[in-house]
């Protein structure tokens, strides 16, 4: 478990630090920017949000995944399966069907870390895990999250930059394909809902 948790945080930190991110979209009010990164067959995206709350407040709200349904409509249900420690929880998440696909579910480990140094970000890292107590069930297509999560950088005592990362797998692709080609605004809408929720 300690290894999984460490590698969860390390994978997100590594993804965030990669060179070669391309900005694909800036919303009119510049509070949201969307970036993509391609490496072989792996597509990653980053959503950067300017939020008018202190970084520690954003961290406490975003690290509690039971609140996620309040701003992310892709989350239908989210329940804690196991509280591994104060900083790690395993959740079962379900999401609704997309065109031509059955509803999906995920078993995820969420690891949270506070910064050790003032310039470091708060981190909330997410990855899929397997849990014997929660085997795949027929009504859902069990999907995998390779690496996702948030980094929260403090800008001032009352504002922060929240960056959401996701390394896209085929399991997440149906939700994003329409968006990245510009025919759907789900990433932007979710980002704006997230800002509204945090503020």
């Amino acid at each position: 478990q300690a290894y999984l948790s460490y590698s969860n945080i390390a994978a997100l930190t590594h993804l965030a630090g990669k060179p070669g991110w391309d900005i694909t979209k800036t919303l009119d009010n510049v509070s949201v920017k969307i970036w993509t990164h391609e490496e072989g067959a792996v597509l990653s995206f980053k959503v950067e949000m300017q939020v008018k709350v202190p970084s520690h407040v954003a961290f406490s709200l975003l690290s509690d995944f039971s609140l996620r349904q309040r701003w992310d409509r892709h989350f239908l249900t989210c329940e804690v399966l196991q509280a591994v420690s104060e900083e790690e929880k395993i959740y079962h998440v379900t999401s609704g069907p997309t065109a031509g696909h059955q509803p999906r579910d995920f078993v995820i480990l969420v690891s949270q870390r506070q910064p050790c140094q003032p310039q470091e970000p708060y981190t909330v890292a997410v990855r899929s895990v397997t849990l014997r107590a929660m085997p795949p069930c027929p009504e859902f297509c069990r999907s995998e999250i390779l690496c996702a999560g948030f980094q929260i950088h403090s800008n001032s005592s009352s504002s922060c930059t929240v960056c959401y990362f996701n390394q896209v797998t085929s399991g997440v692709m149906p939700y994003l394909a329409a968006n990245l080609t510009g025919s759907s605004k789900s990433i932007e809408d979710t980002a704006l809902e997230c800002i509204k929720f945090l503020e």
Side-chain angles (χ1 to χ4, degrees):
Q1 271 172 347
Y3 169 74
L4 266 182
S5 157
Y6 168 76
S7 66
N8 196 12
I9 296 282
L12 182 65
T13 305
H14 177 67
L15 177 61
K18 282 186 174 181
W21 286 92
D22 296 315
I23 190 155
T24 56
K25 198 173 282 186
T26 302
L27 294 204
D28 300 341
N29 56 5
V30 201
S31 62
V32 177
K33 291 179 183 170
I34 299 170
W35 309 69
T36 53
H37 185 284
E38 287 185 67
E39 198 170 11
V42 180
L43 171 71
S44 304
F45 74 92
K46 170 171 80 168
V47 183
E48 189 181 296
M49 300 168 268
Q50 302 301 325
V51 187
K52 297 185 185 74
V53 294
S55 51
H56 66 91
V57 173
F59 173 67
S60 75
L61 291 170
L62 292 173
S63 58
D64 182 353
F65 267 48
S66 61
L67 300 174
R68 181 91 175 234
Q69 291 134 278
R70 288 168 58 178
W71 59 270
D72 188 344
R73 63 186 175 80
H74 300 109
F75 274 53
L76 283 188
T77 64
C78 180
E79 62 167 324
V80 178
L81 294 175
Q82 197 178 326
V84 182
S85 70
E86 276 185 29
E87 294 187 316
E88 328 286 332
K89 284 192 177 78
I90 296 174
Y91 292 88
H92 180 238
V93 175
T94 64
S95 56
T98 52
H101 295 271
Q102 72 180 112
R104 295 175 181 275
D105 76 336
F106 302 83
V107 176
I108 53 171
L109 170 68
V110 177
S111 308
Q112 56 186 78
R113 292 288 182 279
Q114 302 205 21
C116 300
Q117 309 285 336
Q119 71 277 18
E120 288 179 1
Y122 287 87
T123 302
V124 181
V126 183
R127 60 168 288 167
S128 284
V129 290
T130 50
L131 201 62
R132 274 197 215 100
M134 185 55 75
C137 58
E139 62 264 39
F140 291 102
C141 170
R142 176 62 51 89
S143 300
E144 185 185 10
I145 293 173
L146 287 181
C147 174
F150 300 92
Q151 281 195 339
I152 302 154
H153 300 263
S154 181
N155 296 337
S156 70
S157 60
S158 60
S159 69
C160 61
T161 300
V162 174
C163 294
Y164 172 71
F165 296 88
N166 201 326
Q167 205 167 42
V168 181
T169 59
S170 54
V172 188
M173 209 57 205
Y175 298 102
L176 299 175
N179 187 258
L180 293 171
T181 56
S183 56
S184 147
K185 288 177 38 198
S186 107
I187 295 179
E188 297 158 42
D189 292 345
T190 304
L192 294 172
E193 283 299 317
C194 181
I195 293 171
K196 198 158 60 170
F197 166 72
L198 293 173
E199 293 182 348

